[in-house]
């Protein structure tokens, strides 16, 4: 029998850190100030709400106030008082009072977040953790809160939770643009310190595990700890705690010179670890082989701590000439004819097309009228000769607008008209295929009249109806502005619809090489991308160009709007606008996304994506051979459970044990429970892409069926929430007994 010796916790070199207690959470005075300042974040930032289904450009002005969406004036006043309070004790009291008084508010996540940070600032760590977990459950992308929680969790020995939250915080802080509450430079400073703190947590988690491991395994486990701590110090060179821990790790690795450098740097930082760092130096001074006349002289002889800056990407290569670097769809056809033909019949290829009589699917028979609820005529759709037209009011009669373009070909179709100056404007009313009727789609989406929905103003051709500005980035290929000026009459595009290179990248060089007989293939991540070899994040980032509502468009050096003029940056992920700056109509009160425009964001929340490395291509084929009868481009559409069982193979052995419903029944389908149809699409409900969504009785009991729809109650619609709670509890008890 082999006996493995494990070091006792009290013998751990981390003793100097453990002795710091709650002070470790806040660190030095600068970090403590940061934490207190951020107790107001995710609340003060609730100043504007972005309209849905519009392209977001960098520098877009703020929209209407989100706070104004609070219907109850007492709730609004209570929240405003809460967000404006900075004293931690009072902030905690106000937050907890708000939660008790308004338990069904859509501001619950923000109130819990503020309560959590206030509790941590008051050293009530357990209360801070509880409030924080409740907030993250509803709004998981709160990077600032995740950093605070991770610091508490590592102190409390909750290593797995701390590691997960710190890693998630780094991901979210990298994904989201700075909140509108802060300037870019302010957020660069704050974000730098938050990322430094998250890296520190990862370093301490790794170090703690290493010192608890068998002695033979410790050195290898300390290497990632050292790298995380170095990353932390690169971002915040005045963090004494990170410096002290780096010294401890270097010492354990036998790097005495590096350890002394780190201890000496920590000893120069005023704060809770300064004494511990000096003690380490004194210990080295006493044990040193070379006698020094004083500790001061000894410290003077230590080389300064040098932490290399993280490697950059190097100088950019010259911007490629867009017309020269993009081949166009026809350039792909000769070698990829079968795929080209399949793509030609997809909704992507038909997303935006110049007018063709045969492409129109709306009802334009003579004297088709569209009226408002009062019965007043707002539009007439008609065919005159071989052309489709809209007749719309102008204030002094009516004006006829020809259909010059069709937008969409499956669920709904919109129509656009072109002005002599090149501007293209989208008519507000669209034809819904499912309901076989005309609808004012913008009015439906905006929950009432808005500038872009007013038919009586369409003839004014305002920016709100511009196709080039608001629609083209997701409906048209290689859209380009004139320089950095995003103006409707100065935006052009290379190809209508979504062409091959919108997904595979600029491929002129590849086409030229192939025609010359050079069959050497580039790397999978170099255009043309080979999706079968991409990692899951790269794969999803390509789809997210159009399927992510919060992605922000920044024009390139040549005015590129929805493509890259630099070959090496084609795969860059767009920054996202923070979710708290969206209209609350985009979310259910339980935090789930309500609109399909957030389909990528919904998927990116799942454990399937985050831990399981799932991507869109596991379930969807972007150019299926059967697109005419398979409008959602599903793989395995005749055996939908295979989409899940390709990863969860063991569940196929006894499906009824997992689903609790008869095998083959609708309720036994994976999507019935894990992808309930709760997302608004083109006037129908689509399945949520929060794939690991599990029916949650607690959320539904709290917020109600409308604001926390439940997959169980979608079928058992006559049952009560009490029945739901008892049924799910019985299932959990049965699973626990196995």
């Amino acid at each position: 029998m082999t006996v493995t010796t494990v070091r006792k916790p009290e013998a751990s070199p981390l003793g100097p850190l453990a002795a710091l207690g709650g002070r470790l959470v806040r660190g030095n005075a600068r970090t403590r100030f940061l934490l207190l300042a951020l107790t107001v974040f995710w609340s003060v930032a609730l100043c504007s709400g972005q309209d849905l289904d519009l392209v977001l450009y960098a520098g877009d002005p703020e929209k209407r106030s989100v706070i104004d969406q609070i219907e109850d004036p007492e709730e609004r006043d209570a929240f405003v008082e809460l967000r404006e309070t900075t004293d931690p004790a009072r902030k905690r009291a106000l937050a907890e009072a708000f939660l008790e008084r308004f338990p069904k508010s859509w501001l619950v996540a923000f109130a819990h977040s503020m309560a959590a940070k206030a509790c941590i600032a008051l050293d009530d760590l357990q209360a801070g953790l509880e409030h924080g977990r409740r907030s993250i459950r509803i709004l998981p992308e709160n990077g600032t809160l995740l950093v605070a929680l991770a610091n508490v969790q590592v102190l409390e020995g909750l290593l797995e939770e701390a590691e997960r939250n710190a890693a998630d915080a780094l991901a979210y802080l990298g994904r989201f643009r700075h909140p509108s509450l802060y300037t870019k430079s302010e957020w660069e400073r704050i974000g730098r310190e938050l990322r430094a703190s998250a890296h520190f947590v990862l370093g301490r988690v790794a170090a703690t595990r290493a010192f608890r491991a068998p002695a033979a395994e410790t050195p290898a486990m300390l290497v990632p700890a050292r790298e995380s701590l170095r990353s932390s110090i690169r971002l915040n060179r005045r963090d004494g705690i990170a410096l002290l821990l780096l010294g401890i790790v270097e010492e354990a690795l036998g790097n005495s010179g590096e350890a002394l450098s780190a201890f000496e740097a920590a000893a120069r930082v005023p704060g809770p670890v300064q004494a511990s760092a000096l003690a380490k130096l004194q210990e080295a001074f006493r044990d040193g082989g070379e006698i020094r006349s004083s500790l001061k002289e000894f410290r003077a002889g230590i080389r300064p701590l040098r932490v290399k800056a993280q490697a950059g990407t190097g100088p950019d290569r010259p911007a490629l000439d867009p017309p020269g670097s993009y081949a166009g769809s026809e350039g792909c056809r000769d070698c990829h004819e079968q795929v080209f033909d399949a793509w030609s019949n997809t909704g992507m290829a038909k997303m935006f097309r110049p007018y063709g009589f045969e492409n129109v699917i709306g009802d334009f028979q003579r004297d088709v009228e569209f009226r408002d609820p009062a019965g007043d005529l707002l539009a007439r759709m008609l065919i005159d000769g071989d052309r489709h037209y809209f007749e719309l009011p102008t204030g002094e009669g009516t004006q006829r607008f020809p259909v010059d373009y069709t937008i969409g070909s499956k669920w709904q179709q919109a129509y656009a008209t072109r002005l002599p100056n090149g501007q293209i404007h989208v008519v507000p009313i669209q034809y819904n295929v499912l309901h076989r009727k005309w609808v004012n789609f913008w009015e439906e989406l905006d929950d009432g009249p808005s500038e872009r929905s007013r038919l009586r103003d369409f003839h004014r051709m305002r920016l709100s109806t511009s196709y080039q500005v608001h629609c083209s980035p997701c409906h048209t290929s290689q859209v380009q502005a004139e320089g950095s000026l995003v103006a409707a009459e100065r935006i052009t595009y290379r190809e209508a619809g979504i062409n091959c290179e919108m997904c595979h990248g600029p491929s002129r060089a590849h086409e030229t090489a192939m025609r010359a007989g050079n069959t050497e293939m580039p790397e999978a991540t170099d255009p043309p991308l080979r999706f079968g070899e991409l990692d899951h994040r790269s794969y999803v980032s390509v789809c997210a160009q159009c399927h992510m509502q919060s992605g922000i468009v920044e024009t390139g050096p040549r005015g590129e709007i929805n493509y890259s003029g630099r070959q090496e940056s084609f795969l860059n992920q767009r920054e996202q606008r923070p979710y708290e700056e969206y209209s609350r109509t985009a979310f259910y009160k339980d935090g789930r996304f309500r609109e399909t425009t957030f389909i990528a964001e919904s998927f990116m929340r799942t454990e399937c994506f985050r831990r399981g490395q799932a991507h869109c291509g596991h379930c969807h084929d972007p150019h299926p051979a059967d697109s005419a009868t398979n409008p959602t481009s599903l793989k395995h559409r005749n055996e939908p459970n295979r989409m899940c069982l390709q990863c969860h193979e063991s569940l196929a052995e006894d499906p009824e044990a997992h689903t609790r419903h008869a095998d083959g029944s609708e309720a036994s389908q994976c999507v019935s429970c894990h992808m309930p149809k709760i997302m608004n699409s083109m006037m129908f409900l689509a399945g949520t892409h929060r794939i690991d969504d599990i029916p949650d009785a607690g959320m539904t009991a709290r917020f109600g069926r409308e604001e926390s729809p439940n997959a169980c109650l979608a079928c058992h619609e006559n049952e009560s929430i009490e029945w739901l709670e008892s049924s799910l509890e019985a299932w959990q008890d049965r699973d626990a007994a196995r």
Side-chain angles (χ1 to χ4, degrees), residues 366-619:
R366 186 169 297 279
D367 294 329
V368 176
E369 297 178 342
F370 184 82
R371 297 178 179 271
D372 64 16
D376 293 335
L377 180 65
L378 293 179
R380 178 178 285 111
M381 288 66 71
L382 58 104
I383 300 172
D384 188 352
D386 59 355
R387 194 81 174 188
H388 294 77
Y389 294 90
F390 286 88
E391 283 187 356
L392 303 175
T394 64
E396 299 178 353
T398 61
Q399 183 175 344
R400 183 175 287 191
F401 298 94
V403 173
D404 293 317
Y405 301 93
T406 56
I407 307 170
S409 62
K410 294 190 296 187
W411 317 111
Q412 192 156 300
Q413 192 169 67
Y415 304 93
T417 193
R418 182 183 178 92
L419 304 184
N421 64 1
Q423 289 188 25
I424 302 171
H425 288 266
V426 182
V427 178
I429 54 173
Q430 304 177 15
Y431 187 77
N432 185 275
V433 176
L434 179 65
H435 297 279
R436 296 184 180 180
K437 68 175 185 178
W438 291 95
V439 297
N440 188 325
F441 184 64
W442 299 131
E443 198 167 274
E444 294 274 345
L445 192 67
D446 298 340
D447 288 327
S450 60
E451 183 181 81
R452 58 180 174 172
S453 74
R454 296 190 182 100
L455 283 162
R456 289 188 174 91
D457 289 341
F458 179 73
H459 66 285
R460 302 183 191 280
M461 301 299 174
R462 291 173 172 159
L463 185 66
S464 60
T465 59
S466 167
Y467 174 85
Q468 282 107 323
V469 174
H470 294 303
C471 311
S472 66
C474 289
H475 288 258
T476 327
S477 299
Q478 292 86 51
V479 179
Q480 186 170 10
E482 186 177 307
S484 60
L485 181 63
V486 179
E489 67 276 8
R490 299 187 179 186
I491 295 177
T492 58
Y493 58 87
R494 181 179 180 84
E495 195 170 342
I498 304 303
N499 69 5
C500 311
E501 289 165 299
M502 281 298 295
C503 300
H504 291 276
S507 301
R508 171 66 73 187
H510 168 70
E511 181 200 13
T512 301
M514 289 291 136
R515 294 189 186 282
N518 180 4
T519 58
E520 182 179 351
M521 294 298 293
E523 294 293 323
T525 53
D526 289 332
L529 304 183
R530 298 198 298 277
F531 281 83
E533 300 174 43
L534 293 184
D535 66 85
H536 70 297
R537 294 186 184 278
S538 297
Y539 196 120
V540 172
S541 70
V542 174
C543 302
Q545 293 178 104
C546 294
H547 296 282
M548 177 184 281
Q549 170 72 75
S550 60
I552 298 173
V553 172
E554 282 199 84
T555 56
R558 296 175 183 267
E560 307 96 320
I561 289 179
N562 66 349
Y563 70 98
S564 174
R566 302 176 190 269
Q567 184 147 338
E568 76 279 11
S569 62
F570 177 74
L571 265 178
N572 283 359
Q573 180 173 287
R574 286 179 181 166
E575 280 189 303
Q576 293 176 250
R577 177 160 290 176
Y579 296 156
E580 81 278 8
E581 296 184 4
Y582 279 88
S583 165
R584 291 299 94 194
T585 59
F587 307 88
Y588 290 102
K589 286 185 179 180
D590 64 12
R592 288 179 291 176
F593 293 101
R594 192 191 296 264
E595 305 293 334
T596 52
T597 51
F598 290 92
I599 209 83
E601 291 94 334
S602 180
F603 177 64
M604 291 170 72
R605 278 184 172 179
T606 66
E607 292 298 301
C608 302
F609 171 77
R610 296 165 70 240
R611 314 294 177 205
Q613 301 184 14
H615 56 65
C616 312
H618 282 116
C619 297

